[in-house]
Structures are given as C-alpha cells and as structure tokens.
Amino acid sequence: MKVLVPVKRVVDYNVKVRVKSDQTGVDIANVKMSMNPFDEIAVEEATRLKESGAATEVVAVSCGVQQAQETLRTAMAIGADRSVLVQTDAELQPLAVAKLLKALVDKEQPQLVILGKQAIDDDANQTGQMLAALLDWPQATFASKVEIAGDKVKVTREIDGGLETIELKLPAIVTTDLRLNEPRYVTLPNIMKAKKKPLDTVTPEELGVDVAPRLKTLKVTEPPVRSAGVMVADVAALVDKLKNEAKVV
C-alpha cells in the first residue's frame, strides 16, 4: 500500500508572528520556518504504518516555494521514502492545493492520503475535505487512531461529544489530530540519509492545474488587546456586568 503525505512549510510554532506595516499579511522575512505540526504527525503515522508492514511506500508532497525542499527533507528524515515538490511562488489557497494534490494522486495512485487537519498559519481546515470531494473518496477527519485491516481503514476521530469510530474502504483520505501520535526525534544519521533520497520537482503548469487565487485578502490586523479584568463585589454585580456591559447573558 502506498501512502501519500502532504506537508506544508509554515512559520515555526514557537515564533511570535508580526503583521506587516501595510497590513497585507504576516512578515516572514528572516523568520524560522518548519513543518506544520499536524503534518509532522501525519508523516509519523505513515512511517509507523510502513514499519508495521501495513504500508510499503511513503511519499511526501509539498506545494510552494523552493525552500519547501527543506520541509520535504525533514519528512524523509522522519521516514518518507521519497518526495515531490510542486514548486510555485504563487499564493496557494486550499482549493488550489487540493487540485494539485488530486493531480498527484492521479499520477501516484496511492491507497491512502494522510495529512494534517489544518495548517497553523491560516487554520483553514479545508484541504483534506476538498481533496476528498475532488477524488470522490471517503474521508475521516480529526483522527486520533488509525488502523489498517485489509482493504479498509478504521479511524477513531475526535468529536465534540467524545470519540467516534468509523470504517472506510480504501482508497481514502485521513486528516490527523494532535493526539494521534508523538512525532519521533529526527536523528543526525537520518537527516544525512534523507539528503540521498529522491526529491522530484514539478510545476502546476506541468500538472495542468490553475492555482490562481479565488479569494482576496483585504486586510490583516493584530488581534485586539484584551482589557484588564475588574473585581466585583458579589454574584449580582457579576451578572449585571455580564448582562449589561459584556452582553453575553
């Protein structure tokens, strides 16, 4: 079974992002970039499936600028066998990424696509669902446990009321939640091995995909500064403030 794992290059989760002065977006100049944490979990899960014998090959995929090769090398250091970069400097929105991934799925013919449920930069939580719709494949989102049994995959997913277990017939799409696993520490020997693994580069034009943005960002601003709290004398005063000032009751 071949597993395809899309990964995204994002601003490292430890970095405090800054909005550009012209409010056109987030400043990423000289900022540490890394793999999206949810995608790192997806790579780890795919690697574990291969180690258990359920999968035979893990292919990492990324869409974006040339520097995304570093992210793919990290994926291969974790355990991916090879990788593909869809290189473009264009702004990629979830629908465009889903179309690019569909083109690669048609080419690679994987039985399972496993990716992070969302990216920490835009928090869109759309690409996996859009890809499933374009492929007309079954999907399981927010996975906290994945089990392969023959031509089916059993997924335990996190929902508001607790946990839900569903069974999908392969090929399928799975998006990962934080509690699915804990990614392994990437060792230096594996980093060196990753440098020798195949990394192919294609363009959206070669895949026949139009990645022109469908949405326009009007303005990006910092979140409003939270005002300081106040002490109230009793419950009645608290209820009064919640009702008449905060207007949440």
Side-chain angles (χ1 to χ4, degrees), residues 7-9 28 33 61-74 76 83-90 92 199-204:
V7 297
K8 186 176 183 181
R9 177 177 181 263
I28 60 172
M33 308 292 284
V61 177
S62 191
C63 306
V65 296
Q66 183 180 2
Q67 291 88 333
Q69 289 185 10
E70 302 168 8
T71 307
L72 289 172
R73 292 293 180 195
T74 301
M76 290 189 289
S83 58
V84 180
L85 171 63
V86 183
Q87 187 172 328
T88 176
D89 292 327
L92 292 177
L199 195 163
D200 298 325
T201 302
V202 297
T203 64

Coordinates of all heavy atoms in Angstrom, one line a residue, residues 7-9 28 33 61-74 76 83-90 92 199-204:
V7 N 2.6 17.8 3.1 CA 3.2 18.6 4.2 C 3.3 20.1 3.8 O 3.5 20.4 2.6 CB 4.6 18.1 4.7 CG1 4.4 16.6 5.2 CG2 5.6 18.1 3.6
K8 N 3.2 21.0 4.8 CA 3.2 22.4 4.5 C 4.3 23.1 5.2 O 4.6 22.8 6.4 CB 1.9 23.0 4.8 CG 1.8 24.5 4.4 CD 0.4 25.1 4.6 CE 0.3 26.5 4.1 NZ -1.0 27.1 4.4
R9 N 5.0 24.0 4.6 CA 6.1 24.8 5.2 C 5.4 26.1 5.8 O 4.7 26.9 5.1 CB 7.1 25.3 4.2 CG 8.2 26.2 4.7 CD 9.2 26.4 3.6 NE 10.3 27.3 4.0 CZ 10.4 28.6 3.8 NH1 9.3 29.2 3.1 NH2 11.4 29.3 4.2
I28 N 7.4 37.3 7.1 CA 8.1 36.0 7.3 C 9.6 36.2 6.9 O 10.3 35.2 6.8 CB 7.5 34.9 6.4 CG1 7.5 35.3 4.9 CG2 6.1 34.6 6.9 CD1 7.1 34.1 4.0
M33 N 11.2 28.9 9.7 CA 10.1 28.1 9.2 C 10.3 26.6 9.5 O 11.4 26.2 9.6 CB 10.1 28.3 7.6 CG 10.1 29.8 7.2 SD 8.6 30.7 7.6 CE 7.4 30.0 6.4
V61 N 4.7 15.1 0.0 CA 4.4 16.0 -1.1 C 4.3 17.4 -0.4 O 3.7 17.6 0.7 CB 3.1 15.7 -1.8 CG1 2.8 16.8 -2.8 CG2 3.2 14.4 -2.5
S62 N 4.8 18.4 -1.1 CA 4.6 19.8 -0.6 C 4.4 20.7 -1.8 O 4.9 20.4 -2.9 CB 5.8 20.3 0.2 OG 5.5 21.5 0.8
C63 N 3.6 21.8 -1.6 CA 3.3 22.7 -2.6 C 3.8 24.1 -2.2 O 3.4 24.5 -1.1 CB 1.8 22.8 -3.0 SG 1.1 21.2 -3.4
G64 N 4.6 24.8 -3.0 CA 5.0 26.1 -2.6 C 6.4 26.5 -3.1 O 6.8 26.0 -4.2
V65 N 7.1 27.3 -2.4 CA 8.3 27.9 -2.9 C 9.4 26.8 -2.8 O 9.3 25.8 -2.2 CB 8.7 29.1 -2.1 CG1 7.7 30.2 -2.3 CG2 8.8 28.8 -0.6
Q66 N 10.6 27.2 -3.4 CA 11.7 26.2 -3.5 C 12.2 25.8 -2.1 O 12.6 24.7 -1.9 CB 12.9 26.8 -4.3 CG 14.1 25.9 -4.5 CD 15.2 26.6 -5.3 OE1 15.1 27.7 -5.6 NE2 16.2 25.8 -5.5
Q67 N 12.1 26.7 -1.1 CA 12.6 26.4 0.2 C 11.8 25.3 0.9 O 12.2 24.8 1.9 CB 12.5 27.7 1.1 CG 13.5 28.8 0.7 CD 13.0 29.7 -0.3 OE1 12.1 29.3 -1.1 NE2 13.5 31.0 -0.4
A68 N 10.7 25.0 0.3 CA 9.9 23.9 0.9 C 10.6 22.5 0.8 O 10.2 21.5 1.4 CB 8.5 23.8 0.2
Q69 N 11.7 22.5 0.0 CA 12.5 21.3 -0.1 C 13.0 20.9 1.3 O 13.2 19.7 1.6 CB 13.7 21.5 -1.1 CG 13.3 21.6 -2.5 CD 14.5 21.7 -3.5 OE1 15.6 21.4 -3.0 NE2 14.2 21.9 -4.7
E70 N 13.3 21.9 2.1 CA 13.8 21.6 3.5 C 12.8 20.9 4.3 O 13.1 20.0 5.0 CB 14.1 23.0 4.2 CG 15.2 23.8 3.5 CD 15.3 25.2 4.0 OE1 14.7 25.5 5.1 OE2 16.0 26.0 3.5
T71 N 11.5 21.3 4.1 CA 10.4 20.6 4.8 C 10.3 19.1 4.3 O 10.1 18.2 5.1 CB 9.1 21.3 4.5 OG1 9.2 22.7 4.9 CG2 8.0 20.7 5.4
L72 N 10.5 18.9 3.0 CA 10.4 17.6 2.5 C 11.6 16.7 3.0 O 11.4 15.5 3.2 CB 10.4 17.6 1.0 CG 9.1 18.2 0.3 CD1 9.2 18.4 -1.2 CD2 7.9 17.2 0.6
R73 N 12.7 17.3 3.1 CA 13.9 16.6 3.6 C 13.6 16.2 5.1 O 14.0 15.1 5.5 CB 15.1 17.5 3.6 CG 15.6 17.8 2.2 CD 16.2 16.6 1.4 NE 16.6 16.9 0.1 CZ 16.9 16.0 -0.9 NH1 16.7 14.7 -0.6 NH2 17.3 16.3 -2.1
T74 N 12.9 17.0 5.8 CA 12.6 16.7 7.2 C 11.6 15.5 7.2 O 11.8 14.5 8.0 CB 11.9 17.8 7.9 OG1 12.8 18.9 7.9 CG2 11.5 17.5 9.3
M76 N 11.4 13.2 4.9 CA 12.2 12.0 4.6 C 13.1 11.5 5.7 O 13.4 10.3 5.9 CB 13.0 12.2 3.3 CG 12.1 12.3 2.1 SD 12.9 12.4 0.5 CE 13.7 14.0 0.5
S83 N 10.0 12.1 -2.1 CA 9.2 13.3 -2.0 C 9.0 14.0 -3.4 O 9.8 13.8 -4.3 CB 9.7 14.3 -1.0 OG 11.0 14.7 -1.3
V84 N 7.9 14.8 -3.4 CA 7.6 15.6 -4.6 C 7.3 17.0 -4.2 O 6.5 17.2 -3.3 CB 6.4 15.0 -5.4 CG1 6.2 15.8 -6.7 CG2 6.7 13.5 -5.8
L85 N 8.0 18.0 -4.9 CA 7.7 19.4 -4.6 C 6.9 20.0 -5.8 O 7.5 19.9 -6.9 CB 8.9 20.2 -4.3 CG 8.8 21.7 -4.3 CD1 7.9 22.1 -3.1 CD2 10.1 22.4 -4.1
V86 N 5.8 20.5 -5.6 CA 5.1 21.3 -6.7 C 5.5 22.7 -6.5 O 5.0 23.4 -5.6 CB 3.6 21.2 -6.6 CG1 2.9 21.9 -7.7 CG2 3.1 19.7 -6.6
Q87 N 6.5 23.2 -7.2 CA 7.1 24.5 -7.0 C 6.4 25.6 -7.7 O 6.2 25.6 -8.9 CB 8.6 24.4 -7.4 CG 9.4 25.7 -7.1 CD 10.9 25.5 -7.4 OE1 11.4 24.4 -7.3 NE2 11.5 26.6 -7.7
T88 N 6.0 26.6 -6.9 CA 5.4 27.8 -7.4 C 5.6 28.9 -6.4 O 5.6 28.7 -5.2 CB 3.9 27.6 -7.7 OG1 3.3 28.8 -8.1 CG2 3.2 27.1 -6.5
D89 N 5.7 30.1 -6.9 CA 5.8 31.3 -6.0 C 4.4 32.0 -5.8 O 4.3 33.0 -5.1 CB 6.8 32.3 -6.6 CG 8.2 31.8 -6.5 OD1 8.5 31.1 -5.6 OD2 9.0 32.2 -7.5
A90 N 3.4 31.4 -6.4 CA 2.1 32.0 -6.3 C 1.5 31.7 -4.9 O 1.9 30.8 -4.2 CB 1.1 31.4 -7.4
L92 N -0.9 30.1 -2.6 CA -1.7 28.9 -2.8 C -2.8 28.9 -1.7 O -2.5 28.9 -0.5 CB -0.8 27.7 -2.6 CG 0.2 27.5 -3.7 CD1 1.1 26.3 -3.4 CD2 -0.5 27.3 -5.1
L199 N 14.0 13.5 -4.6 CA 13.1 14.6 -4.4 C 12.9 15.2 -5.8 O 13.7 15.8 -6.4 CB 13.7 15.7 -3.5 CG 12.8 16.8 -2.9 CD1 13.4 17.5 -1.8 CD2 12.4 17.8 -4.0
D200 N 11.7 14.9 -6.3 CA 11.3 15.4 -7.6 C 10.6 16.7 -7.6 O 9.9 17.0 -6.6 CB 10.4 14.4 -8.3 CG 11.1 13.0 -8.5 OD1 12.3 13.0 -8.8 OD2 10.4 12.0 -8.4
T201 N 10.8 17.6 -8.6 CA 10.1 18.9 -8.7 C 9.3 19.0 -9.9 O 9.7 18.6 -11.0 CB 11.2 20.0 -8.6 OG1 12.0 19.9 -7.5 CG2 10.5 21.4 -8.7
V202 N 8.0 19.4 -9.7 CA 7.1 19.7 -10.9 C 6.5 21.1 -10.7 O 6.7 21.7 -9.6 CB 6.0 18.6 -11.0 CG1 6.6 17.2 -11.3 CG2 5.2 18.6 -9.7
T203 N 5.8 21.5 -11.7 CA 5.1 22.8 -11.6 C 3.7 22.6 -11.8 O 3.2 21.6 -12.3 CB 5.7 23.8 -12.7 OG1 5.3 23.3 -14.0 CG2 7.2 24.0 -12.6
P204 N 2.8 23.6 -11.3 CA 1.4 23.5 -11.5 C 1.1 23.4 -13.0 O 0.1 22.7 -13.3 CB 0.9 24.8 -10.9 CG 1.9 25.1 -9.8 CD 3.2 24.7 -10.4

